[in-house]
Amino acid sequence: MNRKLRMGMLGGGKDAFIGAIHRIAANMDGMVELVCGALSINQEIAIDSGRSLFLPEDRIYTNYEEMIQKESQLPEGERMDFITIVTPNFAHFAPAMLALENGFHVVIEKPITLTLDEAKQLKAKVEETGLILCLTHTYTGYPMVKQAKEIIASGALGKVRKVAVEYRQGWLSKMTEREGNAGAAWRTDPKKGGKSSVMGDIGTHAFNLAEYITGLQVTQLCADLDIIVEGRLSDDDGAVLLKFDNGARGVLTASQVAAGEENNLLIKIDGEEGGLEWHQQEPNTLLLKWQGKPTEVYRAGQPYLGTLAKNNTRTPGGHPEGYLEAFGNIYRNFVQAVSARMDGQENTTAEFPSVEEGLRGMAFVESAVASNESDQKWTDFTI
């Protein structure tokens, strides 16, 4: 490709948080330009947001149907190449399906859909069209997460025995959904956020991180979900025991009511020979712990890192990389894959979460809910 990819955005107007993050990430490598958008369900906000981003007046849309229809009718050299969907969970499936049906690649916020059935339909449509879908599980974009994945894959730690992953936040420790917090309102509404608030919103990140780094897949789980804040409609805290396909055991905890916490995501993995540990709030450090030997400290930007980590490192050692850079890595890899596809080729090194990770994420949410409602100790992880 000898040009930038053209992006359209659904949601993410000036009254939203995550849309700006996506635009920064997409623009980080100079490989993408925003050419159109339906940036809000509020017509006035949609138009004002489009103007503030200097979009042409005729490419500021007020709903996704109009945007996809009109963009599909533009000449190939003008229309958007892909759509980024940053709407609440209940508004993921329909626009993603319509975009794929009209020949557009898709970037979509997690969780991929509202239900597992929708995720299955979306995967079938991706396979039918041959188009590319990227799911923004941001944390897999960190260089030291990729280094952890390489270390596990190398066999240096031996067989994985135990995985402990947790994601703790405190922003829902009060009933903020009744105090004008729009993000809290839709996330805790089962009709808009899905069957589980805590597992859909942050538990899926922890689940994805565990499977990504270890290369293993969950086969069974045992979940305990709870509504801590009285009067809330959906769970805000939970713990899940996990069984992996190599026989390893795991425990996943997620809480949106851990007062005082910000985005405390961490993972610890124990193998036969040693273990590793990574904290999202200290993302440039990876700890390797050995039995009878000193702990090793791996740092981002250093020459001893593996290829996967180096390919996703942007700054020299000692210059912190964080959330935006990790997000940018997701977009860069997606763009490389799409550009190659448009040139009739396949990029086998571009790595990013896909529709498969989205499907497994929804299966995790629904399996956790089913387990929580069951009297059985273990529930099979089913797709």
Side-chain angles (χ1 to χ4, degrees):
M1 290 289 291
N2 59 358
R3 64 169 177 83
K4 296 182 178 183
L5 292 189
R6 296 182 289 268
M7 177 175 77
M9 178 167 279
L10 176 62
K14 62 183 185 180
D15 59 336
F17 153 70
I18 201 65
I21 300 296
H22 276 262
R23 290 190 291 271
I24 293 169
N27 192 51
M28 195 170 289
D29 294 289
M31 301 164 66
V32 174
E33 59 178 329
L34 181 68
V35 297
C36 64
L39 301 169
S40 175
I41 58 173
N42 181 300
Q43 183 171 335
E44 182 179 344
I45 293 175
I47 293 172
D48 286 347
S49 298
R51 288 172 176 169
S52 71
L53 294 170
F54 306 104
L55 294 179
E57 289 289 330
D58 63 347
R59 299 183 80 176
I60 300 174
Y61 304 106
T62 55
N63 61 74
Y64 74 87
E65 295 97 339
E66 177 190 25
M67 180 169 74
I68 293 172
Q69 179 186 15
K70 289 190 175 181
E71 288 294 314
S72 67
Q73 294 172 352
L74 291 175
E76 186 174 346
E78 297 179 23
R79 69 171 74 116
M80 67 179 181
D81 296 306
F82 72 93
I83 184 173
T84 289
I85 301 171
V86 292
T87 51
N89 302 355
F90 72 96
H92 287 181
F93 174 69
M97 285 290 283
L98 189 61
L100 292 167
E101 289 168 352
N102 281 272
F104 298 114
H105 303 282
V106 174
V107 174
I108 192 168
E109 262 295 323
K110 55 101 298 268
I112 193 169
T113 52
L114 192 66
T115 68
L116 177 58
D117 181 65
E118 288 180 344
K120 290 179 179 179
Q121 292 181 58
L122 206 54
K123 182 184 178 184
K125 182 59 67 173
V126 168
E127 293 173 347
E128 174 191 327
T129 61
L131 295 165
I132 296 174
L133 184 147
C134 170
L135 182 70
T136 53
H137 270 304
T138 315
Y139 305 108
T140 62
Y142 281 105
M144 303 316 292
V145 167
K146 295 188 179 298
Q147 181 65 27
K149 178 182 178 68
E150 287 189 286
I151 289 171
I152 295 292
S154 75
L157 300 185
K159 179 183 177 182
V160 172
R161 290 172 165 172
K162 185 68 178 288
V163 179
V165 59
E166 64 179 68
Y167 199 153
R168 293 161 55 83
Q169 298 176 332
W171 74 295
L172 292 182
S173 58
K174 303 291 185 182
M175 189 70 83
T176 55
E177 58 263 47
R178 297 182 185 174
E179 300 171 357
N181 188 325
W186 71 256
R187 282 177 173 84
T188 57
D189 181 350
K191 294 180 180 179
K192 296 180 179 180
K195 293 182 178 180
S196 170
S197 173
V198 69
M199 291 303 161
D201 195 35
I202 59 176
T204 50
H205 273 311
F207 167 79
N208 174 255
L209 195 66
E211 289 203 333
Y212 175 77
I213 292 178
T214 64
L216 305 175
Q217 291 190 331
V218 171
T219 58
Q220 289 184 305
L221 51 77
C222 176
D224 177 39
L225 310 180
D226 195 14
I227 298 175
I228 300 295
V229 176
E230 187 176 352
R232 181 159 284 154
L233 299 177
S234 186
D235 53 60
D236 49 24
D237 185 86
V240 187
L241 298 177
L242 307 170
K243 288 184 179 180
F244 292 89
D245 55 3
N246 77 329
R249 297 297 196 267
V251 58
L252 181 155
T253 58
S255 180
Q256 297 166 307
V257 295
E261 293 284 10
E262 296 175 322
N263 278 280
N264 193 359
L265 170 64
L266 63 92
I267 187 167
K268 300 178 181 181
I269 300 172
D270 299 317
E272 295 171 318
E273 306 298 330
L276 60 78
E277 182 174 335
W278 179 80
H279 295 247
Q280 196 268 154
Q281 294 183 164
E282 183 60 46
N284 297 303
T285 298
L286 175 67
L287 301 179
L288 262 68
K289 300 179 178 182
W290 304 103
Q291 186 68 24
K293 295 192 297 183
T295 295
E296 296 180 15
V297 181
Y298 279 56
R299 293 283 292 169
Q302 297 301 322
Y304 51 71
L305 298 180
T307 301
L308 194 57
K310 286 180 179 178
N311 288 346
N312 289 275
T313 298
R314 295 172 176 274
T315 60
H319 295 78
E321 295 193 38
Y323 182 71
L324 291 174
E325 289 84 358
F327 227 121
N329 289 338
I330 300 292
Y331 265 97
R332 180 169 62 185
N333 282 276
F334 166 74
V335 168
Q336 289 172 347
V338 171
S339 296
R341 181 72 58 83
M342 294 172 70
D343 284 337
Q345 303 172 1
E346 291 296 322
N347 186 321
T348 58
T349 61
E351 188 198 53
F352 53 88
S354 69
V355 69
E356 183 63 31
E357 284 77 9
L359 181 65
R360 291 193 62 78
M362 286 311 305
F364 166 72
V365 172
E366 296 205 2
S367 295
V369 171
S371 174
N372 182 65
E373 295 173 348
S374 171
D375 292 331
Q376 298 297 315
K377 181 178 179 180
W378 291 105
T379 297
D380 288 341
F381 186 97
T382 56
I383 295 179

